[in-house]
Amino acid sequence: MTDQLRYDGQVVVVTGAGGGLGRAYATFFGSRGASVVVNDLGGSFKGEGNSTKAADVVVNEIKAAGGKAVSNYDSVENGERIIGTAIKAFGRIDILINNAGILRDISFKNIKDEDWDLVIGVHVRGSYKCSRAAWPYFRKQKYGRVINTASAAGLFGSFGQTNYSAAKLALVGFTETLAKEGAKYNILCNVVAPIAASRMTETVMPPDVLKALQPEWVVPLVAVLVHKNNTETGSIFEAGGGHMAKLRWERSSGLLLKADDSYTPGAILKKWDNVVDFSNPQYPTGPNDFLTLLEDSMKMGPSDRGETLDFAGRVALV
Ligand code: NAI
């Protein structure tokens, strides 16, 4: 097919590529001309143990189909070794898919430091370390594509997943800033919240739902986002079962009060409806949007508040 998106001559690192979504990404890029580093620590979904088998099986699969691939068995927390494998085997790195992940689901009441640290370590520190190691190559060649992996749990919260939710939303902020820093160098970074059948989800979803959520059905969106012709960056997407959508931050129309001693909790309560009113929303894309609002606030006179309080503070809890 002539209109097929191709990645010939490019080098792709997929972390956690020994199974689930990572395997689907790796085999896809292997079939579309890219050289692939298949990274996987080969442990359990809770982050216990390690093995070379998971990565090797996928490398063999890619090679058997005529593609180019090498294994890497390091933890993503040793990102420089994973990127080092790409450089040693193929001489470059073009695309980094930070996909590796673990779960340590437990209610907040029972969570232990270890549950917190392991999950934050693999997802946040792991994505940081791999991206940090790839960054100098991306900058030098003025080309790079990064996908980070978030989750609906991070975007919306999910019972029993405080550690995982915190890690996954951290990757949204990480991506948004990486995209800003990378823009000048044609390094495009996006974050995807997938949903797919894998060992992570097979115990929490019914079989018929799992059947409709093949990992392969997340791949095409990621393929578009890391293609050389893509221009989208700093964006959040969800994808699964053939559905995909972009998400963005929405700010209510808001309330602006003069920041003087009349600015009390009570003054806010009187106009609470404005604070939570989304009928005229804004879609901020950077911290400067908020600073502009503050500039407006500084120009306000006391009369702009449109109300008189008896005395500062006391009115607060009316
Ligand atoms: P999976 O468990 O099949 O794949 C994760 C892979 O990462 C495993 O092969 C595992 O060995 C590897 N891994 C774990 N820790 C590692 C480390 N320290 N270094 C290197 N490799 C490591 O799970 P799945 O579902 O394919 O997950 C892929 C990503 O998608 C994860 O980041 C997960 O949090 C995310 N995700 C998945 C969802 C789903 O519905 N399957 C939903 C939302 C997010």
Side-chain angles (χ1 to χ4, degrees), residues 237-294:
F237 294 90
E238 57 186 10
H243 163 84
M244 74 214 69
K246 181 171 169 173
L247 289 92
R248 61 182 171 179
W249 295 105
E250 186 178 59
R251 180 189 281 140
S252 72
S253 50
L255 171 63
L256 190 56
L257 295 174
K258 175 88 177 149
D260 60 16
D261 62 2
S262 65
Y263 178 26
T264 61
I268 294 172
L269 275 182
K270 281 190 177 170
K271 296 196 169 180
W272 185 251
D273 285 352
N274 296 45
V275 179
V276 295
D277 176 12
F278 280 92
S279 60
N280 185 23
Q282 298 171 359
Y283 299 99
T285 57
N288 288 346
D289 298 30
F290 188 69
L291 293 178
T292 311
L293 290 179
L294 288 187

Side-chain angles (χ1 to χ4, degrees), residues 135-153:
W135 207 249
Y137 296 98
F138 288 161
R139 276 179 55 120
K140 197 160 172 227
Q141 70 201 12
K142 292 200 166 47
Y143 187 89
R145 299 284 183 265
V146 180
I147 294 291
N148 291 312
T149 308
S151 164

Side-chain angles (χ1 to χ4, degrees), residues 16 21 39-41 75-76 99 149-150 164 168 194 196 198-199 201:
L21 285 157
N39 157 262
D40 207 290
L41 184 61
S75 168
V76 279
N99 164 79
T149 308
Y164 185 72
K168 288 311 201 183
S198 75
R199 66 181 190 171
T201 48

Side-chain angles (χ1 to χ4, degrees), residues 19-35:
L21 285 157
R23 176 186 159 273
Y25 298 137
T27 52
F28 172 84
F29 289 114
S31 74
R32 295 285 178 106
S35 301

Side-chain angles (χ1 to χ4, degrees), residues 14-316:
V14 183
T15 70
L21 285 157
R23 176 186 159 273
Y25 298 137
T27 52
F28 172 84
F29 289 114
S31 74
R32 295 285 178 106
S35 301
V36 186
V37 175
V38 176
N39 157 262
D40 207 290
L41 184 61
S44 76
F45 79 92
K46 287 186 163 181
E48 294 142 347
N50 62 289
S51 145
T52 56
K53 191 173 163 209
D56 285 348
V57 166
V58 176
V59 166
N60 290 338
E61 198 180 338
I62 293 171
K63 284 184 172 168
K68 286 169 274 184
V70 293
S71 300
N72 172 285
Y73 317 115
D74 287 297
S75 168
V76 279
E77 294 194 63
N78 296 315
E80 59 286 343
R81 292 174 54 169
I82 300 171
I83 304 304
T85 297
I87 302 304
K88 196 167 161 224
F90 304 120
R92 58 184 294 125
I93 157 111
D94 301 283
I95 299 169
L96 170 63
I97 302 187
N98 286 314
N99 164 79
I102 57 166
L103 286 179
R104 306 276 291 202
D105 291 359
I106 186 161
S107 73
F108 193 57
K109 179 169 82 69
N110 295 324
I111 196 168
K112 306 223 169 13
D113 288 354
E114 190 194 6
D115 302 315
W116 182 268
D117 293 342
L118 279 171
V119 168
I120 300 289
V122 172
H123 294 273
V124 184
R125 187 171 164 79
S127 300
Y128 153 67
K129 289 290 279 181
C130 293
S131 307
R132 182 66 188 90
W135 207 249
Y137 296 98
F138 288 161
R139 276 179 55 120
K140 197 160 172 227
Q141 70 201 12
K142 292 200 166 47
Y143 187 89
R145 299 284 183 265
V146 180
I147 294 291
N148 291 312
T149 308
S151 164
L155 297 167
F156 313 120
S158 171
F159 198 96
Q161 295 194 306
T162 48
N163 48 0
Y164 185 72
S165 304
K168 288 311 201 183
L169 194 58
L171 291 172
V172 172
F174 177 60
T175 307
E176 289 171 337
T177 294
L178 268 194
K180 287 181 164 65
E181 293 197 16
K184 202 170 126 191
Y185 301 94
N186 190 21
I187 309 171
L188 308 187
C189 311
N190 290 287
V191 57
V192 174
I195 179 149
S198 75
R199 66 181 190 171
M200 253 189 205
T201 48
E202 67 191 2
T203 54
V204 292
M205 290 183 195
D208 52 331
V209 174
L210 290 168
K211 229 166 127 189
L213 292 173
Q214 295 305 303
E216 286 70 20
W217 299 340
V218 174
V219 175
L221 172 70
V222 168
V224 165
L225 293 173
V226 301
H227 193 260
K228 63 180 181 335
N229 295 342
N230 176 43
T231 53
E232 187 81 37
T233 192
S235 304
I236 312 165
F237 294 90
E238 57 186 10
H243 163 84
M244 74 214 69
K246 181 171 169 173
L247 289 92
R248 61 182 171 179
W249 295 105
E250 186 178 59
R251 180 189 281 140
S252 72
S253 50
L255 171 63
L256 190 56
L257 295 174
K258 175 88 177 149
D260 60 16
D261 62 2
S262 65
Y263 178 26
T264 61
I268 294 172
L269 275 182
K270 281 190 177 170
K271 296 196 169 180
W272 185 251
D273 285 352
N274 296 45
V275 179
V276 295
D277 176 12
F278 280 92
S279 60
N280 185 23
Q282 298 171 359
Y283 299 99
T285 57
N288 288 346
D289 298 30
F290 188 69
L291 293 178
T292 311
L293 290 179
L294 288 187
E295 278 168 24
D296 290 348
S297 164
M298 285 182 310
K299 285 185 217 139
M300 283 175 86
S303 59
D304 295 322
R305 275 194 312 104
E307 64 183 280
T308 309
L309 301 175
D310 288 345
F311 49 90
R314 284 286 299 279
V315 84

